[in-house]
Amino acid sequence: MFRMLLKPFARFFEVHAKAHYRAERHSMALTAGIILAASVGGFIEIAPLFTIDETVESAPDMRLYTPLEQAGRDIYIREGCYLCHSQMIRTLQDEVDRYGPYSLAVESQYDHPMLWGSKRTGPDLARVGEKYSDDWQVRHLVDPRALVPESVMPQYAFLLAAPLETESLPGRLAALRTVGVPYTDDQIANAAVDAGGQAVPDTEPADGVAERYGEETNIRLFDGRRERLTEMDALVAYLQILGGLTDLPAETQPPRGD
Amino acid sequence: MMTRLMATERQGALILSGLVALAGLILAAAGRGDPMGVHGWITLVFAGGVLLIALRALDAPEPTEDRLASYYDDPTKVGILLALFWAVVGMGMGVWVAAQLAWPELRFDAPWSSFGRLRPVHTSGVIFGFGGNALIATSFHVMQRTSRARLAGHLSPWFVLLGFNLFCLVAASGYLMGVTQSKEYAEPEWYADIWLVIVWVVYFVLYMRTLARRNEPHIYVANWYYLAFILVVAMLHIVNNLAVPASFGAAKSYSAFAGVQDAMTQWWYGHNAVAFFLTAGFLGMLYYFLPKRAERPIYSYRLSILSFWGIVFFYIWAGSHHLHYTALPQWVQTLGMTFSVMLLVPSWASAGNALMTLNGAWHKVRDDATLRFMMLAAVFYGLSTFEGSFMAVRAVNSLSHYTDWTVGHVHAGAMGWVALISFGSIYAVVPLLWRKEAMYSWKLVESHFWLALAGTVIYVFAMWNSGITQGLMWRTYTESGTLAYSFTETLVAMRPYYIARVIGGALFLAGAVIGAYNVYMTIRVAGHQAPQIDYPTGSEANEPAVPAAE
Amino acid sequence: MDLTYEATSTFAKSFGLIYLIVLSVGITAYAFWPSLGKRFDKAAKSLLDDEDGPCR
């Protein structure tokens, strides 16, 4: 009975069975099948996300990373900090209580790549900016266990001795513009100078940073020293802006009143 | 290594390695003062070494025998040795980084020796170095045997194998210098990614051409899995690594995607790397070596086809379960969760199929540690796919995510499933390839088995405990409605488990070292065996046949 | 058609389901197609076919 029902369709499969030595045809069919099965699913699931701009919150006050902050972000990636620290506060009460308002999609809008992370060996850093002083951050990076005895974080004292390479910053900002971060020509052209300027307050280069990136920009000594621009400056500048690119999360999620 | 190549093929090897060396030189020149320049030098030295070998063998006598009458196993042999080398390196790194979390002073002070730079050396070392080489080597073996045809080409298998190892080398050395895209399991930068695409295309063409020569009407299911591994990994790799380099003279590049799209793309990649690298490829291994070793056909061939397509369909959707409760739209999270749960069906079908194959051969499992490796691998495959589906449920994930539970789950799969099936297959295939009667020492195989089992169990239990403990501590409130534990307090609670993990990992590493030693001694001293009949034939005929598609 | 988020995600949710059902029916039919049974059996057994040569 089953066989009878299937008979009209048998042809489809018999073609293959007969063509024993038309071997390529089998393997090509298999290839096509695998590609079809594996690509359509992913495409259907991912494609809508590229039209997401219209439904995601918009944050008009969203600012860009300054060259120094971007350099710091690149160091954060280079050292693999993202392997132990997430930057994504989930929509769970205890996370909001511990780390602050949950993360919005718009906050990582310009993050190429995103650093949401997958493991919290250390705490989440999505809103760590300005939670501690520059001095605390520097001392903690130099010797984490001096400040938190139980910490298992690696020490990064060498950052304090490593001069920050700034020559490549215009190229890096330009690459970021290619993938969609709206840096202006002016910002790209001055990237190297601005990186240094952000770490020497009350100077002409520092004024240039404020002019190009807004008065809200953190212009400080960061590593505590004026005479040298180090990788520590960059990393601390980056850490201090985390969660500070837009005020939207704080505005839309008022603190829980008891 | 070169004696079985024709003069023209040796010249080809010379030209190819010369070209790669030239590419290395260009990379070194363009990337002066940047880690990319160092990678140029590494490439140059690597390709130069191959070039020297080819040069020295240029005038050696050509092979006289009819090459098509036998299988071409030299690349498989080298691939297996490389797999064992990377296993020791990768697992050694794993033990070191695990120890750093228990004793932070083991970080020392060098920039390259921090957890953040070593951890990708561990993950890439075991996944790509060990797993990848094991997959490439066994796929060469399996595709020839199941097709009853010799590899289609003598140069391309070497190009695939050595090219892939160059990629691994560039990747691992890059991490130490801080070269990383930050995308987990896809860390290497743009030039390494481009190189891998070239290698992979050659791999695919080689596979297809060998299948086209086959003397069997039907493509055995193990090849389907290997083929899915090759194809889908190529697709994932290309899409996830789309990036714009900051300059063609430096390593740094920026992902084409940002924020939520980047997260989805990354975990679409990340989860399917698990699916098609760490599952599909190794299932190919399982479907060949387990029936072969047990000397019983697979329990249900139909089930193996069903579960193949189930795995290919379902896995591809499941990636978003890595992003529960994040800024990813909820419907995508739900989709990922649903498919992850459905995935249990084909996964357990595969595991069950493997175990049912052994039904009736349990005495062999008892006596033969090699077969026991494969049996245990199937059990762990079943366990960790169940755990995976469970953890993909949003409510469970809210607890498990970001904790060591995830780490434990991954290692149940990586150690219990991937590594055990690889070691089992290696023990099965090494005596055959080197024409030995058996492994050098069955006792060492036996002790490797128990070390691996003990190591995995200790590791996984430690991580379950620490993960669940930490997850619960994070969400515990006091009676007055404030959080009960600071982050530091949870860290202190983790410490005993982190030490236990080091012990588990060290046991597993010891097993791998013993395995490598045993293989080495097998090649060096184990008794020779007269070559068995091991040549390509038609399945109907007894005499060697000329492959059909010649 | 405008490529809005609404449209693409609705398409994803509906077409995705149909796609999946069609494919699973096709695969099940292939795997359990009666006349293919012999080929499958042969493939499974030929692996162990020792007289033809290969392993062990």
Side-chain angles (χ1 to χ4, degrees):
Chain A
M1 162 70 181
F2 188 51
R3 276 166 194 272
M4 288 281 283
L5 273 175
L6 293 178
K7 204 138 197 193
F9 304 98
R11 211 151 54 81
F12 294 116
F13 299 116
E14 288 307 316
V15 168
H16 294 267
K18 272 175 195 153
H20 272 186
Y21 295 107
R22 294 277 172 79
E24 305 80 5
R25 204 184 279 176
H26 276 194
S27 41
M28 287 317 287
L30 187 58
T31 306
I34 293 170
I35 292 180
L36 192 76
S39 58
V40 175
F43 181 75
I44 289 177
E45 196 175 11
I46 297 177
L49 297 180
F50 286 88
T51 57
I52 207 168
D53 297 348
E54 50 197 271
T55 50
V56 140
E57 340 65 33
S58 68
D61 64 336
M62 182 77 183
R63 38 154 297 198
L64 305 177
Y65 294 117
T66 64
L68 188 65
E69 289 154 8
Q70 182 60 44
R73 192 169 199 273
D74 291 345
I75 292 169
Y76 183 96
I77 290 173
R78 184 187 76 191
E79 300 304 333
C81 307
Y82 61 89
L83 291 167
C84 292
H85 296 284
S86 57
Q87 292 185 21
M88 171 49 62
I89 301 165
R90 296 180 293 170
T91 51
L92 298 169
Q93 189 59 54
D94 63 293
E95 300 215 352
V96 173
D97 287 345
R98 190 180 295 276
Y99 301 116
Y102 59 80
S103 299
L104 301 177
V106 70
E107 290 180 89
S108 47
Q109 182 183 4
Y110 297 133
D111 284 3
H112 293 268
M114 58 85 204
L115 295 173
W116 292 8
S118 59
K119 177 72 176 72
R120 282 182 189 148
T121 305
D124 187 277
L125 298 182
R127 310 217 179 280
V128 82
E130 305 298 337
K131 218 172 190 173
Y132 303 92
S133 68
D134 292 346
D135 180 54
W136 187 93
Q137 288 288 6
V138 172
R139 285 197 291 142
H140 182 251
L141 282 163
V142 167
D143 185 4
R145 276 161 292 286
L147 298 179
V148 186
E150 304 87 348
S151 171
V152 295
M153 187 172 119
Q155 67 275 23
Y156 289 98
F158 70 91
L159 294 177
L160 208 50
L164 183 70
E165 186 273 313
T166 55
E167 270 171 43
S168 65
L169 275 169
R172 286 194 251 169
L173 261 52
L176 282 167
R177 182 163 72 177
T178 312
V179 291
V181 185
Y183 283 114
T184 63
D185 289 338
D186 195 27
Q187 286 170 330
I188 290 174
N190 291 291
V193 184
D194 285 350
Q198 198 182 343
V200 282
D202 309 318
T203 58
E204 205 174 313
D207 296 342
V209 177
E211 186 193 319
R212 272 182 284 276
Y213 293 90
E215 294 296 331
E216 301 278 287
T217 311
N218 298 326
I219 298 179
R220 301 198 294 254
L221 288 179
F222 296 113
D223 74 352
R225 298 175 305 182
R226 184 174 279 275
E227 64 285 359
R228 299 184 65 185
L229 183 67
T230 61
E231 296 192 336
M232 186 65 88
D233 281 312
L235 185 57
V236 173
Y238 172 63
L239 291 175
Q240 295 292 29
I241 197 61
L242 283 177
L245 292 178
T246 168
D247 294 329
L248 195 66
E251 284 163 12
T252 50
Q253 305 173 47
R256 191 165 62 132
D258 280 13
Chain B
M1 163 167 157
M2 305 293 292
T3 50
R4 263 185 277 269
L5 296 186
M6 296 290 183
T8 47
E9 286 158 355
R10 290 175 196 170
Q11 285 159 9
L14 210 62
I15 294 169
L16 267 179
S17 50
L19 284 176
V20 176
L22 188 68
L25 196 65
I26 294 171
L27 215 57
R32 256 176 309 135
D34 189 83
M36 192 175 101
V38 181
H39 277 152
W41 288 110
I42 290 174
T43 310
L44 189 63
V45 170
F46 187 93
V50 178
L51 191 122
L52 271 183
I53 296 172
L55 202 60
R56 286 176 56 184
L58 206 55
D59 297 323
E62 291 199 2
T64 49
E65 90 270 36
D66 177 14
R67 295 197 301 177
L68 288 178
S70 63
Y71 295 128
Y72 188 41
D73 287 333
D74 293 353
T76 314
K77 291 180 181 176
V78 175
I80 282 173
L81 296 180
L82 285 166
L84 288 169
F85 164 78
W86 281 106
V88 174
V89 171
M91 291 171 194
M93 280 293 170
V95 174
W96 185 10
V97 292
Q100 283 196 10
L101 292 182
W103 301 282
E105 52 274 23
L106 291 175
R107 178 245 185 278
F108 307 114
D109 277 322
W112 61 269
S113 62
S114 68
F115 181 93
R117 291 202 192 181
L118 293 180
R119 191 261 193 182
V121 182
H122 162 59
T123 52
S124 291
V126 290
I127 296 174
F128 300 115
F130 171 48
N133 274 306
L135 283 173
I136 291 175
T138 55
S139 76
F140 288 167
H141 181 87
V142 170
M143 73 164 119
Q144 293 188 87
R145 267 56 178 196
T146 53
S147 305
R148 299 180 195 280
R150 190 178 168 90
L151 278 178
H154 293 82
L155 218 47
S156 50
W158 288 114
F159 180 79
V160 172
L161 185 71
L162 298 177
F164 180 73
N165 278 280
L166 176 61
F167 167 80
C168 293
L169 199 63
V170 165
S173 59
Y175 306 148
L176 297 179
M177 296 185 285
V179 178
T180 169
Q181 294 190 104
S182 89
K183 296 194 157 204
E184 281 184 82
Y185 321 115
E187 292 94 345
E189 276 290 357
W190 56 278
Y191 47 89
D193 292 336
I194 293 171
W195 173 244
L196 187 64
V197 172
I198 298 171
V199 170
W200 223 244
V201 169
V202 177
Y203 189 16
F204 173 65
V205 172
L206 172 66
Y207 212 110
M208 292 303 276
R209 286 187 58 219
T210 308
L211 285 183
R213 304 178 147 201
R214 72 183 185 280
N215 288 309
E216 287 278 345
H218 179 78
I219 305 176
Y220 184 67
V221 74
N223 291 302
W224 301 25
Y225 284 95
Y226 279 120
L227 206 56
F229 147 66
I230 299 171
L231 282 169
V232 183
V233 166
M235 186 172 88
L236 300 168
H237 173 78
I238 291 171
V239 174
N240 190 40
N241 283 303
L242 289 175
V244 175
S247 128
F248 287 106
K252 187 72 197 165
S253 71
Y254 293 99
S255 169
F257 312 112
V260 70
Q261 291 99 333
D262 190 42
M264 187 58 231
T265 311
Q266 158 59 23
W267 288 111
W268 167 78
Y269 168 89
H271 197 73
N272 287 302
V274 173
F276 290 92
F277 207 103
L278 297 176
T279 303
F282 291 91
L283 279 172
M285 229 184 249
L286 177 88
Y287 277 118
Y288 180 80
F289 287 104
L290 184 123
K292 193 83 197 167
R293 189 78 184 181
E295 295 175 306
R296 301 167 63 84
I298 192 77
Y299 170 68
S300 164
Y301 196 81
R302 294 193 142 122
L303 194 57
S304 71
I305 292 175
L306 274 183
S307 46
F308 171 78
W309 290 107
I311 284 172
V312 175
F313 287 151
F314 292 169
Y315 249 117
I316 214 80
W317 304 76
S320 53
H321 69 222
H322 287 255
L323 301 167
H324 281 327
Y325 298 101
T326 66
L328 187 76
Q330 174 120 6
W331 70 271
V332 186
Q333 298 179 22
T334 309
L335 205 59
M337 172 172 107
T338 315
F339 276 89
S340 306
V341 173
M342 292 201 298
L343 199 48
L344 189 60
V345 177
S347 301
W348 271 29
S350 304
N353 208 350
L355 293 175
M356 289 302 283
T357 304
L358 295 174
N359 209 1
W362 291 112
H363 60 285
K364 288 185 189 164
V365 176
R366 186 193 61 209
D367 297 338
D368 180 6
T370 304
L371 190 57
R372 221 179 308 130
F373 265 106
M374 300 178 194
M375 191 260 330
L376 194 62
V379 171
F380 267 107
Y381 177 63
L383 286 176
S384 54
T385 47
F386 172 76
E387 191 186 19
S389 297
F390 183 61
M391 288 167 75
V393 175
R394 274 166 63 93
V396 181
N397 195 269
S398 72
L399 178 79
S400 74
H401 196 54
Y402 293 134
T403 74
D404 287 316
W405 191 355
T406 310
V407 181
H409 166 61
V410 169
H411 281 82
M415 295 157 99
W417 154 237
V418 171
L420 291 192
I421 188 70
S422 302
F423 285 128
S425 304
I426 287 174
Y427 286 135
V429 85
V430 160
L432 182 88
L433 290 178
W434 272 276
R435 308 273 181 231
K436 305 289 183 178
E437 275 162 8
M439 288 299 294
Y440 164 69
S441 160
W442 66 266
K443 280 186 182 163
L444 288 180
V445 180
E446 193 72 37
S447 42
H448 181 183
F449 174 82
W450 291 110
L451 281 171
L453 176 58
T456 308
V457 169
I458 293 175
Y459 191 111
V460 170
F461 270 91
M463 291 297 97
W464 276 342
N465 275 312
S466 79
I468 294 170
T469 308
Q470 193 168 34
L472 290 175
M473 283 175 88
W474 282 345
R475 57 164 64 171
T476 304
Y477 281 87
T478 59
E479 275 176 22
S480 58
T482 54
L483 290 166
Y485 300 102
S486 73
F487 195 91
T488 320
E489 282 169 314
T490 70
L491 202 59
V492 174
M494 297 303 99
R495 185 133 197 279
Y497 305 119
Y498 282 2
I499 294 173
R501 161 164 70 179
V502 177
I503 296 168
L507 291 178
F508 201 86
L509 171 67
V513 172
I514 289 176
Y517 171 76
N518 202 1
V519 168
Y520 174 75
M521 293 305 278
T522 306
I523 298 168
R524 286 294 303 274
V525 293
H528 273 276
Q529 190 187 36
Q532 279 182 333
I533 315 163
D534 187 23
Y535 47 71
T537 64
S539 57
E540 322 273 345
N542 265 348
E543 71 276 15
V546 179
E550 267 302 288
Chain C
M1 190 185 83
D2 226 10
L3 211 62
T4 59
Y5 177 69
E6 197 61 42
T8 47
S9 60
T10 311
F11 176 75
K13 290 174 218 174
S14 54
F15 173 78
L17 187 67
I18 296 168
Y19 163 79
L20 193 85
I21 293 170
V22 170
L23 282 180
S24 9
V25 170
I27 294 304
T28 316
Y30 174 72
F32 288 97
W33 204 264
S35 65
L36 292 177
K38 247 186 287 167
R39 291 176 61 203
F40 292 157
D41 280 352
K42 223 178 93 187
K45 289 213 181 79
S46 78
L47 189 72
L48 310 169
D49 231 349
D50 240 359
E51 59 176 353
D52 286 340
C55 310
R56 261 166 61 86

